[in-house]
Amino acid sequence: MVHKGCLEILNKDIIDGDILNTRLKYLQSLREQFRQRFKSEYIMSLVQKGRETSDVLRAGDVVLIETEEKRLKWPLDIT
């Protein structure tokens, strides 16, 4: 014999699990959309700005420090 209270708790756990799974999928999708937008808009604007200016660095310029990592992971520095 199963008590009514036990069934309510079990049903609530199932519902909460479904809500959490839905929320997790939404957050993963949102993160991926943000990453793609950042990559396509912000990084590309940096590349375009780099092509418009000369190769002369001035004090206060923001530069990427090239490493073995992918370009997206290169650290930034200020000259």
Side-chain angles (χ1 to χ4, degrees), residues 6-42:
C6 291
L7 287 176
E8 289 175 5
I9 292 172
L10 180 61
N11 289 338
K12 185 173 174 135
D13 288 343
I14 292 171
I15 292 170
D16 287 346
D18 290 343
I19 291 170
L20 289 174
N21 284 334
T22 302
R23 182 71 176 166
L24 177 62
K25 288 178 184 177
Y26 168 74
L27 290 174
Q28 288 172 336
S29 171
L30 193 61
R31 185 183 70 197
E32 182 61 25
Q33 290 173 15
F34 176 76
R35 190 178 73 76
Q36 290 296 328
R37 189 169 176 185
F38 176 81
K39 186 176 173 183
S40 67
E41 293 178 15
Y42 179 71

Side-chain angles (χ1 to χ4, degrees), residues 43-61:
I43 297 295
M44 291 310 293
S45 73
L46 291 178
V47 170
Q48 290 172 356
K49 284 183 182 181
R51 290 184 180 152
E52 294 172 0
T53 62
S54 65
D55 291 335
V56 178
L57 294 176
R58 287 177 251 135
D61 284 349

